[in-house]
Amino acid sequence: MKTDLSVVIPIYNEEAGLAKLFERLYPALDALGLNYEIVFINDGSRDRSAAILAEQFRLRPDVTRVVLFNGNYGQHMAILAGFAETRGEITVTLDADLQNPPEEIGALVAKMREGYDYVGSIRRNRQDSAWRTYASRAMNRLREKITRIQMTDQGNMLRAYGRNVIDLINQCNEVNTFVPALAYTFARRPTEIVVAHEERSAGESKYSLYSLIRLNFDLVTGFSLVPLQFFSLLGIALSFLSAALFFLLLVRRFLFGSEVEGVFTLFAITFFLMGVILFGIGLVGEYVGRIYEQVRGRPRYVVQAVLQEDRTAAAPASHPLQAARSLER
Ligand code: UDP
Ligand code: MG
């Protein structure tokens, strides 16, 4: 039987909100009248999320699959593991905290059916803290300038991808990546729609300021060399400037004798430039570190078990639930 729609949801310590998610997600998908599957990925939750997911699998084994990681590998790795398991013509990603209303999935699918292979989304009224909304807008603009990726609202995960895009992503082996941007680079006909956004239903955001900064570095370094090129251009410009200054001071030295005035101005300039240099070295480090992780070639994540219905079982009399297919990637 062909699967029309796969829904991929990463889960990390979401025990408080999962019941509410199931309550809205399954009816919303049933209402679409499609053959669908939901792939949950438990990203090493330390709470009861895995047990709750296993229970939900027992309730709806026909449309539910659960990938269990053996540790926490991050939201984007979880989504990639989910992609590897999907069978649908269309794949939709969603956050587990109900910030992305499941009722909007229908709108994404409808848009895909118009012939697009990537449908991004823009949050109508973003329900996040003011500083976060503002910072993310600024980062969004910067990213748009230095990568060729056009996403009005990069932080939103409620998106739909065509089979062609998912197949290409499954061929990639990126260690640090940002799924919506990676998908965009493969899309032939991308578009965006406006969707609703709600407050987190329960639990708290898994992203600290630190991990948000890391994520934005992934987004920039994974898709652009412009920051490095900017530093080499800056280096060239500064070399010319300092050469000019050197000649100026040399001439001045012979005309008016030695000078000490303006020493502190010189210090200020020096310290500023030292800051710039340190940032530049750090930036090179961000790229080098990612290259290091990539060439090390360790498994990007380890799947402990996949809960899914045994599709190979031919005889209907056999037990329908063949749990725990163990595999490692
Ligand atoms: N998530 C995950 N692994 C992580 C962090 C987050 O799978 O290491 C999941 C989380 O359970 C949620 C989604 O990614 O479904 C988005 O996380 P969150 O809502 O905390 O992020 P925010 O909405 O604050 O950006
Ligand atoms: Mg959230």
Side-chain angles (χ1 to χ4, degrees), residues 1 21 24 26-27 103 116 143 182 193 195 245-246 279 291 302:
M1 196 171 58
L21 172 69
R24 282 176 58 186
Y26 284 84
E103 294 76 20
Y116 297 99
R143 192 227 62 243
L182 184 63
I193 61 171
V195 296
L245 187 66
F246 172 72
F279 178 69
I291 296 169
V302 180

PDB file of all heavy atoms in Angstrom, residues 1 21 24 26-27 103 116 143 182 193 195 245-246 279 291 302:
ATOM      1  N   MET A   1       0.848  -1.206   0.000  1.00  0.00           N
ATOM      2  CA  MET A   1       0.000   0.000   0.000  1.00  0.00           C
ATOM      3  C   MET A   1       0.884   1.257   0.000  1.00  0.00           C
ATOM      4  O   MET A   1       1.816   1.382   0.773  1.00  0.00           O
ATOM      5  CB  MET A   1      -0.888  -0.011   1.239  1.00  0.00           C
ATOM      6  CG  MET A   1      -2.023   0.941   1.149  1.00  0.00           C
ATOM      7  SD  MET A   1      -3.198   0.709   2.506  1.00  0.00           S
ATOM      8  CE  MET A   1      -2.192   0.941   3.956  1.00  0.00           C
ATOM      9  N   LEU A  21      -0.528  16.314  22.217  1.00  0.00           N
ATOM     10  CA  LEU A  21      -0.118  16.234  20.810  1.00  0.00           C
ATOM     11  C   LEU A  21      -0.902  15.125  20.094  1.00  0.00           C
ATOM     12  O   LEU A  21      -1.490  15.356  19.036  1.00  0.00           O
ATOM     13  CB  LEU A  21       1.385  15.960  20.722  1.00  0.00           C
ATOM     14  CG  LEU A  21       1.926  15.666  19.313  1.00  0.00           C
ATOM     15  CD1 LEU A  21       1.863  16.916  18.435  1.00  0.00           C
ATOM     16  CD2 LEU A  21       3.366  15.153  19.367  1.00  0.00           C
ATOM     17  N   ARG A  24      -4.541  15.839  19.197  1.00  0.00           N
ATOM     18  CA  ARG A  24      -4.856  16.703  18.048  1.00  0.00           C
ATOM     19  C   ARG A  24      -4.286  16.168  16.745  1.00  0.00           C
ATOM     20  O   ARG A  24      -4.882  16.353  15.676  1.00  0.00           O
ATOM     21  CB  ARG A  24      -4.310  18.110  18.305  1.00  0.00           C
ATOM     22  CG  ARG A  24      -5.203  18.877  19.261  1.00  0.00           C
ATOM     23  CD  ARG A  24      -4.623  20.226  19.605  1.00  0.00           C
ATOM     24  NE  ARG A  24      -4.386  21.085  18.439  1.00  0.00           N
ATOM     25  CZ  ARG A  24      -3.781  22.257  18.518  1.00  0.00           C
ATOM     26  NH1 ARG A  24      -3.343  22.707  19.680  1.00  0.00           N
ATOM     27  NH2 ARG A  24      -3.603  22.994  17.435  1.00  0.00           N
ATOM     28  N   TYR A  26      -3.580  12.937  15.582  1.00  0.00           N
ATOM     29  CA  TYR A  26      -4.199  11.795  14.899  1.00  0.00           C
ATOM     30  C   TYR A  26      -5.536  12.176  14.244  1.00  0.00           C
ATOM     31  O   TYR A  26      -5.741  11.878  13.069  1.00  0.00           O
ATOM     32  CB  TYR A  26      -4.333  10.599  15.853  1.00  0.00           C
ATOM     33  CG  TYR A  26      -3.010   9.890  16.075  1.00  0.00           C
ATOM     34  CD1 TYR A  26      -2.110  10.357  17.016  1.00  0.00           C
ATOM     35  CD2 TYR A  26      -2.651   8.778  15.330  1.00  0.00           C
ATOM     36  CE1 TYR A  26      -0.890   9.734  17.216  1.00  0.00           C
ATOM     37  CE2 TYR A  26      -1.427   8.140  15.516  1.00  0.00           C
ATOM     38  CZ  TYR A  26      -0.545   8.624  16.469  1.00  0.00           C
ATOM     39  OH  TYR A  26       0.667   8.011  16.658  1.00  0.00           O
ATOM     40  N   PRO A  27      -6.444  12.871  14.982  1.00  0.00           N
ATOM     41  CA  PRO A  27      -7.693  13.279  14.321  1.00  0.00           C
ATOM     42  C   PRO A  27      -7.436  14.178  13.108  1.00  0.00           C
ATOM     43  O   PRO A  27      -8.090  14.026  12.076  1.00  0.00           O
ATOM     44  CB  PRO A  27      -8.446  14.040  15.409  1.00  0.00           C
ATOM     45  CG  PRO A  27      -7.890  13.527  16.687  1.00  0.00           C
ATOM     46  CD  PRO A  27      -6.459  13.187  16.421  1.00  0.00           C
ATOM     47  N   GLU A 103      -3.248  20.891  12.669  1.00  0.00           N
ATOM     48  CA  GLU A 103      -4.326  21.141  11.713  1.00  0.00           C
ATOM     49  C   GLU A 103      -3.799  21.823  10.441  1.00  0.00           C
ATOM     50  O   GLU A 103      -4.462  21.818   9.409  1.00  0.00           O
ATOM     51  CB  GLU A 103      -5.421  22.017  12.347  1.00  0.00           C
ATOM     52  CG  GLU A 103      -6.179  21.353  13.502  1.00  0.00           C
ATOM     53  CD  GLU A 103      -5.377  21.314  14.807  1.00  0.00           C
ATOM     54  OE1 GLU A 103      -4.412  22.110  14.935  1.00  0.00           O
ATOM     55  OE2 GLU A 103      -5.682  20.478  15.682  1.00  0.00           O
ATOM     56  N   TYR A 116       4.442  21.866  -6.064  1.00  0.00           N
ATOM     57  CA  TYR A 116       5.699  22.285  -5.435  1.00  0.00           C
ATOM     58  C   TYR A 116       6.376  21.080  -4.791  1.00  0.00           C
ATOM     59  O   TYR A 116       5.727  20.084  -4.483  1.00  0.00           O
ATOM     60  CB  TYR A 116       5.420  23.351  -4.375  1.00  0.00           C
ATOM     61  CG  TYR A 116       4.831  24.610  -4.950  1.00  0.00           C
ATOM     62  CD1 TYR A 116       3.461  24.840  -4.898  1.00  0.00           C
ATOM     63  CD2 TYR A 116       5.640  25.557  -5.560  1.00  0.00           C
ATOM     64  CE1 TYR A 116       2.898  25.985  -5.451  1.00  0.00           C
ATOM     65  CE2 TYR A 116       5.098  26.703  -6.106  1.00  0.00           C
ATOM     66  CZ  TYR A 116       3.731  26.913  -6.051  1.00  0.00           C
ATOM     67  OH  TYR A 116       3.197  28.050  -6.587  1.00  0.00           O
ATOM     68  N   ARG A 143      21.660  35.779   7.235  1.00  0.00           N
ATOM     69  CA  ARG A 143      21.805  34.504   6.539  1.00  0.00           C
ATOM     70  C   ARG A 143      21.362  34.621   5.080  1.00  0.00           C
ATOM     71  O   ARG A 143      22.001  34.103   4.181  1.00  0.00           O
ATOM     72  CB  ARG A 143      20.977  33.430   7.235  1.00  0.00           C
ATOM     73  CG  ARG A 143      21.283  32.032   6.762  1.00  0.00           C
ATOM     74  CD  ARG A 143      20.010  31.248   6.476  1.00  0.00           C
ATOM     75  NE  ARG A 143      19.201  31.806   5.424  1.00  0.00           N
ATOM     76  CZ  ARG A 143      17.990  32.266   5.569  1.00  0.00           C
ATOM     77  NH1 ARG A 143      17.405  32.254   6.727  1.00  0.00           N
ATOM     78  NH2 ARG A 143      17.326  32.752   4.538  1.00  0.00           N
ATOM     79  N   LEU A 182      19.127  22.628   4.056  1.00  0.00           N
ATOM     80  CA  LEU A 182      19.634  21.548   3.213  1.00  0.00           C
ATOM     81  C   LEU A 182      18.580  21.155   2.179  1.00  0.00           C
ATOM     82  O   LEU A 182      18.875  21.001   0.992  1.00  0.00           O
ATOM     83  CB  LEU A 182      19.991  20.345   4.099  1.00  0.00           C
ATOM     84  CG  LEU A 182      20.624  19.154   3.398  1.00  0.00           C
ATOM     85  CD1 LEU A 182      21.963  19.549   2.796  1.00  0.00           C
ATOM     86  CD2 LEU A 182      20.815  17.993   4.382  1.00  0.00           C
ATOM     87  N   ILE A 193       4.065  29.168   2.700  1.00  0.00           N
ATOM     88  CA  ILE A 193       2.722  29.601   3.073  1.00  0.00           C
ATOM     89  C   ILE A 193       2.752  30.130   4.505  1.00  0.00           C
ATOM     90  O   ILE A 193       3.691  29.874   5.250  1.00  0.00           O
ATOM     91  CB  ILE A 193       1.668  28.463   2.977  1.00  0.00           C
ATOM     92  CG1 ILE A 193       2.026  27.311   3.918  1.00  0.00           C
ATOM     93  CG2 ILE A 193       1.524  27.965   1.553  1.00  0.00           C
ATOM     94  CD1 ILE A 193       0.910  26.279   4.030  1.00  0.00           C
ATOM     95  N   VAL A 195       1.358  30.095   8.268  1.00  0.00           N
ATOM     96  CA  VAL A 195       0.667  29.169   9.168  1.00  0.00           C
ATOM     97  C   VAL A 195       0.519  29.790  10.552  1.00  0.00           C
ATOM     98  O   VAL A 195       1.185  30.765  10.881  1.00  0.00           O
ATOM     99  CB  VAL A 195       1.442  27.832   9.323  1.00  0.00           C
ATOM    100  CG1 VAL A 195       1.510  27.081   8.016  1.00  0.00           C
ATOM    101  CG2 VAL A 195       2.843  28.097   9.865  1.00  0.00           C
ATOM    102  N   LEU A 245      49.632  53.995   6.234  1.00  0.00           N
ATOM    103  CA  LEU A 245      49.948  54.626   7.511  1.00  0.00           C
ATOM    104  C   LEU A 245      51.456  54.597   7.769  1.00  0.00           C
ATOM    105  O   LEU A 245      52.052  55.565   8.229  1.00  0.00           O
ATOM    106  CB  LEU A 245      49.201  53.893   8.635  1.00  0.00           C
ATOM    107  CG  LEU A 245      49.289  54.536  10.015  1.00  0.00           C
ATOM    108  CD1 LEU A 245      48.588  55.888  10.012  1.00  0.00           C
ATOM    109  CD2 LEU A 245      48.686  53.634  11.077  1.00  0.00           C
ATOM    110  N   PHE A 246      52.060  53.470   7.425  1.00  0.00           N
ATOM    111  CA  PHE A 246      53.498  53.319   7.619  1.00  0.00           C
ATOM    112  C   PHE A 246      54.278  54.373   6.834  1.00  0.00           C
ATOM    113  O   PHE A 246      55.148  55.052   7.363  1.00  0.00           O
ATOM    114  CB  PHE A 246      53.926  51.904   7.189  1.00  0.00           C
ATOM    115  CG  PHE A 246      55.409  51.717   7.165  1.00  0.00           C
ATOM    116  CD1 PHE A 246      56.130  51.635   8.353  1.00  0.00           C
ATOM    117  CD2 PHE A 246      56.104  51.639   5.961  1.00  0.00           C
ATOM    118  CE1 PHE A 246      57.509  51.461   8.340  1.00  0.00           C
ATOM    119  CE2 PHE A 246      57.483  51.467   5.940  1.00  0.00           C
ATOM    120  CZ  PHE A 246      58.175  51.386   7.134  1.00  0.00           C
ATOM    121  N   PHE A 279      38.184  37.025  16.484  1.00  0.00           N
ATOM    122  CA  PHE A 279      36.928  36.547  15.926  1.00  0.00           C
ATOM    123  C   PHE A 279      37.188  35.763  14.645  1.00  0.00           C
ATOM    124  O   PHE A 279      36.609  34.710  14.410  1.00  0.00           O
ATOM    125  CB  PHE A 279      35.983  37.727  15.660  1.00  0.00           C
ATOM    126  CG  PHE A 279      34.690  37.308  15.029  1.00  0.00           C
ATOM    127  CD1 PHE A 279      33.764  36.564  15.756  1.00  0.00           C
ATOM    128  CD2 PHE A 279      34.403  37.633  13.708  1.00  0.00           C
ATOM    129  CE1 PHE A 279      32.578  36.159  15.173  1.00  0.00           C
ATOM    130  CE2 PHE A 279      33.214  37.222  13.121  1.00  0.00           C
ATOM    131  CZ  PHE A 279      32.295  36.492  13.862  1.00  0.00           C
ATOM    132  N   ILE A 291      34.901  20.396   9.768  1.00  0.00           N
ATOM    133  CA  ILE A 291      35.608  19.505   8.835  1.00  0.00           C
ATOM    134  C   ILE A 291      36.128  18.296   9.603  1.00  0.00           C
ATOM    135  O   ILE A 291      36.007  17.157   9.174  1.00  0.00           O
ATOM    136  CB  ILE A 291      36.781  20.247   8.160  1.00  0.00           C
ATOM    137  CG1 ILE A 291      36.267  21.398   7.308  1.00  0.00           C
ATOM    138  CG2 ILE A 291      37.594  19.294   7.294  1.00  0.00           C
ATOM    139  CD1 ILE A 291      37.360  22.338   6.833  1.00  0.00           C
ATOM    140  N   VAL A 302      22.973   6.838  16.739  1.00  0.00           N
ATOM    141  CA  VAL A 302      22.839   5.394  16.891  1.00  0.00           C
ATOM    142  C   VAL A 302      21.383   5.071  17.204  1.00  0.00           C
ATOM    143  O   VAL A 302      20.815   5.583  18.165  1.00  0.00           O
ATOM    144  CB  VAL A 302      23.752   4.853  18.008  1.00  0.00           C
ATOM    145  CG1 VAL A 302      23.588   3.345  18.143  1.00  0.00           C
ATOM    146  CG2 VAL A 302      25.195   5.200  17.703  1.00  0.00           C
TER     147      VAL A 302
END
